[in-house]
Amino acid sequence: MTGIGDTLKSLGGTVNTRLRELMDVMCEPGILKDAMNYSLTAGGKRLRPALCLMTAGMFGDAARALDFACAIEMIHTYSLIHDDLPAMDNDDLRRGKPTNHVVFTEAYAILAGDGLLNCAFEVMLKYALENKDKQPECIRAMSIIAGASGVTGMIAGQAGDIAFEGKEHDPDVLQYIHTRKTGAMIKASVLSGAVLSGAAEHELSALETYGSCICLTFQIVDDILDEMGDQTRIGKTPGKDAGADKLTFTSVYGIEKSKKIARRQTDMAVKALECFGQKAQTLSALATYLLSRDR
Ligand code: GRG
């Protein structure tokens, strides 16, 4: 039997192969494609596409969700490229490599991010057009992903992050920012895979609880790693959030209480999966893995 680490590696490999194919079909050779591929292939954990494939696999054939999983990774990568820009977090290290704008200039980094966002929707639309029997599920999954990445989701979270930098560390504001900036796309990854495989409403509701809990754990561990992590493991500059007086779980609750909240959320995530029995074993293992990750 393989562990969750092997499962993630295997799903990541499948996603990487399909991403390469999609990029070759969609992009003309040149600096824009190079800039998009640079960040896309820089070694992300592929957590979001893996979640999408896992929930699709619980209710049907995971392969049906592969293009949507790739689209989610394209949107995630675009958000990282734009987040690192001098006008945003001004970071020069991401996924263990110099950031996109450092290598390709700011102008190309903006375009690479825009390009990945647009390609994501092209990929999902093309799949929907070519799979007419699956169009209602595809449209619903696209709507979930568009909402999560949009102006009431990830973009709103990023705007809130900027607006509250250096302000009082308020738990309600932290909750607002976190659920949108990081949480929305993780939850959308969980739900879109299940929707594509025709999960029932009560199943989606249980997965929504699971998604909300794991994204909180993910963010808390991310904040702890930002404070205490090893640069070579996390692939980005540690201490940046604290240095910029960002609102984080560790700045509001401290390390020990943050760890306690993360453990409680993990327990709740696992409990939310009880209704699925053995079928949710991998998702359950992933929740526990997210609590102990070091990168
Ligand atoms: C620019 C619209 C816009 C949004 C940016 C996602 C985001 C919003 C910013 C990323 C900044 C950040 C470090 C957020 C904390 C959590 C997070 C999303 C970490 C990166 O995700 P991982 O750890 O990264 O899954 P990899 O590289 O493994 O894919």
Side-chain angles (χ1 to χ4, degrees):
M1 203 169 92
T2 58
I4 186 66
D6 294 327
T7 305
L8 280 175
K9 211 182 239 173
S10 160
L11 293 175
T14 306
V15 168
N16 291 344
T17 303
R18 184 63 183 149
L19 277 173
R20 263 193 306 275
E21 287 168 5
L22 289 168
M23 289 295 290
D24 283 342
V25 171
M26 283 190 297
C27 302
E28 292 165 3
I31 188 163
L32 178 60
K33 179 180 178 184
D34 292 346
M36 290 161 76
N37 264 335
Y38 174 78
S39 294
L40 210 48
T41 62
K45 292 183 288 298
R46 308 305 194 217
L47 167 67
R48 293 154 193 80
L51 279 167
C52 176
L53 293 174
M54 282 177 192
T55 56
M58 271 173 73
F59 304 99
D61 182 5
R64 188 179 289 158
L66 183 56
D67 283 5
F68 279 69
C70 290
I72 288 170
E73 186 63 23
M74 287 176 180
I75 295 172
H76 171 60
T77 304
Y78 122 74
S79 79
L80 299 181
I81 296 173
H82 281 194
D83 184 64
D84 290 332
L85 286 167
M88 300 246 189
D89 266 10
N90 193 19
D91 223 318
D92 52 14
L93 194 65
R94 167 74 67 183
R95 292 178 164 173
K97 290 186 167 182
T99 43
N100 201 291
H101 64 271
V102 168
V103 178
F104 293 94
T105 75
E106 236 177 286
Y108 277 111
I110 292 169
L111 292 173
D114 292 343
L116 285 167
L117 176 60
N118 211 83
C119 279
F121 284 92
E122 279 184 59
V123 167
M124 292 187 285
L125 283 164
K126 188 167 186 289
Y127 185 88
L129 288 168
E130 287 171 357
N131 292 274
K132 296 215 180 329
D133 58 321
K134 286 279 152 215
Q135 276 178 359
E137 290 87 349
C138 288
I139 290 168
R140 187 168 177 196
M142 265 188 280
S143 166
I144 290 171
I145 294 165
S149 56
V151 295
T152 56
M154 184 175 71
I155 295 174
Q158 182 76 349
D161 200 27
I162 294 166
F164 283 92
E165 209 172 290
K167 302 247 166 67
E168 198 190 332
H169 288 198
D170 178 338
D172 291 338
V173 178
L174 174 67
Q175 173 77 4
Y176 173 93
I177 293 174
H178 152 72
T179 50
R180 287 158 184 80
K181 183 178 149 183
T182 319
M185 278 303 284
I186 292 181
K187 211 190 303 189
S189 306
V190 171
L191 291 177
S192 58
V195 162
L196 286 166
S197 281
E201 292 308 317
H202 72 279
E203 293 169 325
L204 293 175
S205 162
L207 287 175
E208 187 153 11
T209 305
Y210 169 82
S212 299
C213 294
I214 60 160
C215 64
L216 203 52
T217 302
F218 175 87
Q219 185 61 63
I220 292 171
V221 172
D222 204 75
D223 289 348
I224 294 173
L225 288 175
D226 183 74
E227 282 208 17
M228 308 173 71
D230 171 357
Q231 178 166 308
T232 53
R233 298 281 311 152
I234 63 176
K236 59 184 180 182
T237 320
K240 282 269 313 190
D241 291 347
D245 201 16
K246 287 239 180 192
L247 191 53
T248 64
F249 280 90
T250 48
S251 73
V252 171
Y253 298 107
I255 300 265
E256 284 318 309
K257 186 156 182 211
S258 295
K259 282 185 179 170
K260 203 169 154 191
I261 299 171
R263 280 197 296 271
R264 200 170 59 226
Q265 291 299 318
T266 305
D267 291 344
M268 284 162 64
V270 172
K271 197 165 172 41
L273 298 174
E274 275 174 4
C275 59
F276 300 113
Q278 280 296 100
K279 192 155 88 161
Q281 212 177 17
T282 314
L283 277 190
S284 177
L286 183 68
T288 310
Y289 164 84
L290 289 179
L291 184 64
S292 60
R293 72 186 175 100
D294 62 358
R295 64 180 284 257

